[in-house]
Amino acid sequence: MTTAWLPIVWFCIIGLEVVLYMLLDGTNLGVGLLSLLPQSDKRRLVLMHVFGPMWDANETWLLIAAATTYGAFPIVFSVALNALYIPAMTLGAGLILRVASYEFYAHTQRTKHLWATLFGIGSLLATIGLGLLLGGLLSGIRMTRGHFSGGPFDWATLVTFLITTGIVTGFVVLGYAHMVRQSKIVSKKGFERILLYSILTFALLASATAVVPNTNYLFLSRWSDPRYMPILWSVVGLIAASTALLVYAIHKRDTALVPWLCNTIFIIGFFGIVVGTFPYILPPNITIFDAASSPTTQTFMLWGIGPILPIVLVYNYYISRLFRDDDSYEI
Amino acid sequence: MDVLQWSRLQFGDTAAFHILWPIMSIGLVLYMFVMEIMWLLTKQEHYYRQLRFWTKPFVLTFAIGTASGLPLAFQFGTNWSQFAQTAGDFLGNILGFETTIAFALESAFLAILVFGWKKVHPLVHLFSTAMVLLGASISAFWIMAANSWMQTPLGVTFSDGKLVVTDYAKAICNPDTLVSFAHMWFACVESTLFMMVGISAIKLLGSSPTETKGFFLSTFKFCIGILVVVAPLQLVVGDLSGQVVGRYQPEKLAAIELQWQTNASGTGAPLRLVAIPSDAQQRNSFEVAIPGALSFITTHDPVGTVQGLASFPANDRPSTAQAAVTFYLFRLMVLLGVLMAALMLWGCIYWYRGKLSVAHISRHPWFLWAWIVSIPFGLIATESGWMVREIGRQPWIVYHIIRTADGVSTGLYSAEVATTTLAITLMYVVFSITFVYLVAKMIARGPDLTSPLP
């Protein structure tokens, strides 16, 4: 294997990590967002229970993605976080608040309401932070001589706003789908809510793709570039088809199909973003080849981390199976 | 305050808070692991009770540790972007190892450790506990490897304005790594066990039922049993760590010891116990010292040479204020370390004389109070040691390669960093208070000694 392929290999690995994180923790964040809605204490207890034993393993994918990005593409990690200071801090603060509140909720008696609220707020902050990060990245980052040279609010664009609200509603859908699967609490009202939120998500993210070209010219040219056009338009077609199928599944109350479809839509959407920007990783300046750390480092990391990832995946799956469909864990 | 100062404050603040939780996690899970092995080997109930009871605070420490570590990882990019970029070829890789191998291990197995009692075979459960301990320890290893490389950077070369790794073995196993990892790992165990003994002492002093007292007396003894090994070893490793500093970071040693002038050949450098440095005169305006002792400790030769602070260019070494801070924090750490070893010895003597029984021990309130007072000693000593380590390296972020001032992010405003610092600090304060309150409640309620055995 020549070293020229290394950046592509790492890009794929990190892409996989990000998708895993968005799906796994997106579900947990969605459960957190749902807890903000007014509801009975009993129902809230079910929500917190479903958040359950896997939050830590799920959240770890974000750290893995961040750390491997730092290792494989140091400039992306440093410049993106530097430029997106406020989004990154929002995400960080949200995640701490969420986890600490969750643990405190489990252990307190009289202050449960307070911690449940903080848990919801933490989840909301973290979700918003993620949306701002992704939106900020796609909006483009101003750089001079390898360093960030923009202002603190460069990420505040229309695209970012649309993506962020789209991710919030999208995570609500993921969370709801997960609740449906785990707790078997299926109400008519709940299904209507899923439907509403998934249509909202589709509308928001679709309009975001239509606006992106204004701030990131790369995307604009690709919609009409014959090399990318077929893929991009099939992505749009696939998402539209899956959403239509989702509407049908919700209508038919198919609890098994709904979560699968939600996840599929997320994955296709992410693939669309990659097609729209590859090989740029810090659009519109830096490609994955510019950003790559030295071949020695990328090789060393590949041998050190590469074989571990499948193992982590397998036992993560095993453990999540162990706790699936279960409402009797002993604490 | 400018962005640099706020960023330093933020990193110091979040790191000082974060480190408390991994310390307790490593210590607790080691204890739990020992108990689980004993339980499986002997099938004696009290080992199982120990394991289950101490799992409760462990879950809390682990969760807060995971959560509070995240902003720390982000800060490399958000606040120290230039440093992250210049040193990224090495540091990024090491942090990648830390999260992937170590952290992924502990996070997933934690679920089985905590919730899996009825779900998996006892050996699978033991394996999970072992994996959490191993994961947490490997995590500590990579963090120490990264930080040690910032102290004694080897195996890299400058190319195109960036550090590129030329020799991974040298960079990872730099002179500081192993000894610092050992020092930190022992610190985790010793600090946690001291807290556990102190907590048990509170229960033994109070008016709990005899069974509860018996339970905490077991904790008391098991912990002392482990401390007998750890506390003296920690003093030895600490001494080794000091020698690494003396050999590879002479200006840090000079700062820690407030040694302004290099001792003339044939004379020994004195070990100062108290000193007041004068920045204007570049010497100590007052000091109480043991003649020759510093030379002997650092070089194991009564007239060995110890370089003075004044022999380094003023802008390449810690400032006088920084030197004074490291001087006193270092003494605090050593004092606490020695006190802890002495207390451990006292515990052994009492144990040997048969005084460690529920009937006898309440007749020795002074003994119990000594342990109660020492609850925070380990944590304070560890925090002090870290501050000496980091402040003593100034003005460098990577020793003799990158200056701290050149590592900070571009395009940030003080207001941004100040706001996030205050917000995160506020959260941390609330979490700490809640944690102490919850653990106090767990302790007050005592162990569950009646639930069926698995």
Side-chain angles (χ1 to χ4, degrees), chain A residues 212-213 215-223 276-280 283-284:
Chain A
V212 160
T215 44
N216 179 1
Y217 290 98
L218 190 68
F219 228 73
L220 177 69
S221 56
R222 295 222 165 150
W223 281 110
T277 51
F278 186 85
Y280 289 87

Side-chain angles (χ1 to χ4, degrees), chain B residues 49-273:
Chain B
R49 300 289 179 211
Q50 291 286 332
L51 169 59
R52 290 308 295 268
F53 178 76
W54 291 105
T55 304
K56 288 179 198 172
F58 168 75
V59 174
L60 276 181
T61 59
F62 195 93
I64 302 179
T66 308
S68 61
L70 203 103
L72 221 49
F74 276 13
Q75 276 174 66
F76 283 109
T78 51
N79 295 54
W80 301 99
S81 175
Q82 297 192 73
F83 158 64
Q85 209 174 316
T86 314
D89 203 46
F90 176 71
L91 276 188
N93 194 351
I94 297 307
L95 293 181
F97 279 134
E98 194 259 333
T99 46
T100 317
I101 303 172
F103 200 49
L105 214 63
E106 44 183 331
S107 295
F109 281 107
L110 179 74
I112 295 184
L113 167 60
V114 179
F115 301 103
W117 273 102
K118 288 181 181 162
K119 293 185 169 294
V120 296
H121 189 272
L123 284 178
V124 175
H125 194 277
L126 177 70
F127 179 73
S128 304
T129 312
M131 285 302 113
V132 173
L133 174 62
L134 184 71
S137 303
I138 297 180
S139 211
F141 173 81
W142 287 118
I143 293 298
M144 293 315 296
N147 185 273
S148 297
W149 178 81
M150 289 161 66
Q151 312 285 346
T152 55
L154 287 180
V156 291
T157 173
F158 251 110
S159 152
D160 237 354
K162 285 187 188 64
L163 289 170
V164 176
V165 182
T166 50
D167 187 340
Y168 261 103
K170 262 191 186 163
I172 292 173
C173 297
N174 63 70
D176 194 40
T177 303
L178 280 179
V179 65
S180 294
F181 167 66
H183 200 34
M184 183 59 189
W185 198 82
F186 285 137
C188 295
V189 175
E190 191 174 354
S191 305
T192 313
L193 295 189
F194 257 81
M195 293 174 82
M196 291 168 69
V197 180
I199 287 168
S200 305
I202 295 177
K203 292 296 279 191
L204 289 169
L205 206 58
S207 55
S208 307
T210 316
E211 300 81 47
T212 309
K213 285 198 172 182
F215 174 89
F216 282 103
L217 190 69
S218 298
T219 305
F220 200 101
K221 286 175 163 176
F222 292 145
C223 287
I224 290 184
I226 303 174
L227 280 172
V228 168
V229 185
V230 175
L233 266 179
Q234 178 68 321
L235 293 179
V236 175
V237 174
D239 176 58
L240 283 175
S241 171
Q243 286 177 40
V244 172
V245 171
R247 189 147 158 217
Y248 294 95
Q249 294 178 295
E251 53 277 61
K252 188 196 264 186
L253 179 78
I256 291 174
E257 301 297 345
L258 280 176
Q259 159 96 341
W260 287 97
Q261 302 299 333
T262 310
N263 52 314
S265 66
T267 65
L271 179 70
R272 295 157 190 90
L273 302 177

Side-chain angles (χ1 to χ4, degrees), chain A residues 28-299:
Chain A
N28 276 349
L29 285 168
V31 171
L33 294 173
L34 286 173
S35 79
L36 279 175
L37 303 171
Q39 55 206 302
S40 68
D41 286 355
K42 194 175 156 233
R43 206 184 147 72
R44 177 162 286 126
L45 202 66
V46 177
L47 274 174
M48 297 303 248
H49 189 70
V50 165
F51 181 74
M54 288 301 288
W55 70 261
D56 197 346
N58 293 345
E59 193 181 301
T60 300
W61 286 106
L62 176 67
L63 273 159
I64 293 181
T68 42
T69 303
Y70 185 22
F73 307 108
I75 194 176
V76 176
F77 177 85
S78 51
V79 172
L81 286 181
N82 186 166
L84 304 170
Y85 186 83
I86 294 170
M89 284 292 173
T90 311
L91 173 62
L95 289 174
I96 320 173
L97 190 59
R98 171 181 78 149
V99 165
S101 309
Y102 170 74
E103 292 297 337
F104 292 155
Y105 173 88
H107 285 91
T108 46
Q109 302 302 330
R110 274 170 299 166
T111 48
K112 268 200 190 312
H113 267 287
L114 170 72
W115 295 116
T117 312
L118 288 176
F119 170 77
I121 292 174
S123 304
L124 181 63
L125 277 179
T127 311
I128 290 176
L130 272 176
L132 298 182
L133 269 178
L134 187 62
L137 209 55
L138 288 174
S139 299
I141 284 170
R142 282 189 282 168
M143 287 173 66
T144 318
R145 285 191 301 278
H147 290 292
F148 170 61
S149 59
F153 293 103
D154 280 8
W155 44 269
T157 62
L158 181 59
V159 177
T160 306
F161 174 75
L162 290 171
I163 288 183
T164 305
T165 37
I167 283 185
V168 171
T169 55
F171 282 0
V172 169
V173 176
L174 286 181
Y176 224 106
H178 185 64
M179 285 297 291
V180 167
R181 184 173 50 195
Q182 282 281 40
S183 69
K184 318 243 168 11
I185 296 178
V186 182
S187 70
K188 189 161 178 287
K189 220 174 124 200
F191 266 121
E192 280 162 7
R193 247 193 237 157
I194 277 204
L195 194 61
L196 179 70
Y197 278 113
S198 38
I199 292 170
L200 250 176
T201 308
F202 180 70
L204 285 163
L205 294 182
S207 45
T209 27
V211 185
V212 160
N214 287 334
T215 44
N216 179 1
Y217 290 98
L218 190 68
F219 228 73
L220 177 69
S221 56
R222 295 222 165 150
W223 281 110
S224 52
D225 184 329
R227 280 176 300 166
Y228 298 100
M229 212 168 65
I231 313 177
L232 279 178
W233 286 105
S234 5
V235 164
V236 174
L238 273 174
I239 291 183
S242 313
T243 312
L245 201 59
L246 181 66
V247 172
Y248 177 75
I250 290 171
H251 185 68
K252 284 279 170 199
R253 307 254 189 285
D254 191 332
T255 49
L257 197 58
V258 170
W260 277 109
L261 280 170
C262 293
N263 288 347
T264 311
I265 294 173
F266 255 84
I267 293 170
I268 303 172
F270 189 80
F271 179 70
I273 294 178
V274 170
V275 174
T277 51
F278 186 85
Y280 289 87
I281 191 165
L282 275 182
N285 297 309
I286 304 283
T287 67
I288 58 170
F289 304 101
D290 305 328
S293 50
S294 68
T296 327
T297 291
Q298 289 206 334
T299 314

Side-chain angles (χ1 to χ4, degrees), chain B residues 285-338:
Chain B
S285 51
F286 170 80
E287 60 178 49
V288 179
I290 307 170
L294 179 59
S295 287
F296 184 75
I297 289 174
T298 43
T299 61
H300 293 183
D301 170 5
V303 291
T305 307
V306 179
Q307 260 186 294
L309 205 51
S311 62
F312 301 96
N315 57 350
D316 287 349
R317 58 162 156 94
S319 69
T320 306
Q322 286 167 338
V325 170
T326 57
F327 177 85
Y328 283 103
L329 286 177
F330 182 76
R331 271 140 195 80
L332 179 63
M333 175 186 75
V334 174
L335 177 71
L336 291 175
V338 172

Side-chain angles (χ1 to χ4, degrees), chain B residues 191 194-195 336 340 371-382:
Chain B
S191 305
F194 257 81
M195 293 174 82
L336 291 175
M340 287 160 83
W371 284 98
I372 295 171
V373 169
S374 74
I375 285 179
F377 279 11
L379 293 181
I380 296 173
T382 312

